[in-house]
Amino acid sequence: MIVKQLEDLVGTEDEVKGETWTSRRLLLKKDQVGFSLHDTQIRAGTVSEFWYKNHIEAVYCIEGKGQLTNRETGDVHPLQPGTLYTLNGHERHRVEAETDLRMVCVFNPPCTGQETHDEEGAYPLLAD
């Protein structure tokens, strides 16, 4: 059994910050559960471009308001508490945060925790 408190990750190597977001990595590859689980905040007034070409990501919005754009089709979807989106086709996407957004994100294959977005907005596949 694994039990963690979100507050215990703040300020550790499991709290990773980007230009527009902060992600607290609750479960990682080292936990050997087959996926990683992240609590991610995207700052109000920011625009983030992502492309997880090496991972499937499922995202569940639990706080805030924003907009998701599928960069491949141009489809636009509102983000608000209760919205789920899954990038099962490795879609390039944009997240625009009207207010602070808080998202619960699941990645498969699991992230190691050391990934950073490359110039394409993707996470590389990293070994432990």
Side-chain angles (χ1 to χ4, degrees):
M1 179 182 296
I2 299 169
V3 178
K4 297 182 181 182
Q5 296 293 322
L6 182 64
E7 63 195 34
D8 294 337
L9 302 178
V10 175
T12 72
E13 67 180 11
D14 290 335
E15 180 181 52
V16 179
K17 296 182 180 186
E19 187 175 320
T20 61
W21 53 268
T22 298
S23 181
R24 295 174 179 129
R25 281 52 189 295
L26 292 156
L27 292 171
L28 293 166
K29 186 175 182 179
K30 66 185 175 187
D31 295 305
Q32 300 181 338
V33 295
F35 59 90
S36 58
L37 179 69
H38 309 192
D39 182 308
T40 299
Q41 297 173 321
I42 301 178
R43 289 185 274 293
T46 64
V47 176
S48 303
E49 298 279 344
F50 302 111
W51 179 34
Y52 297 117
K53 61 184 177 181
N54 299 309
H55 297 83
I56 301 292
E57 182 192 27
V59 178
Y60 185 66
C61 179
I62 59 173
E63 291 178 13
K65 185 175 178 182
Q67 180 172 283
L68 168 71
T69 303
N70 181 329
R71 300 285 283 147
E72 297 173 15
T73 66
D75 293 342
V76 177
H77 307 276
L79 292 173
Q80 60 193 23
T83 302
L84 167 79
Y85 66 90
T86 303
L87 303 161
N88 57 316
H90 304 282
E91 296 86 355
R92 292 176 189 258
H93 60 290
R94 172 187 296 144
V95 175
E96 298 175 60
E98 184 177 322
T99 66
D100 284 346
L101 288 167
R102 185 168 175 210
M103 320 285 246
V104 175
C105 309
V106 176
F107 285 86
N108 187 19
C111 295
T112 66
Q114 302 308 308
E115 292 84 358
T116 56
H117 293 97
D118 64 18
E119 63 280 351
E120 295 178 310
Y123 283 155
L125 283 177
L126 297 178
D128 289 334

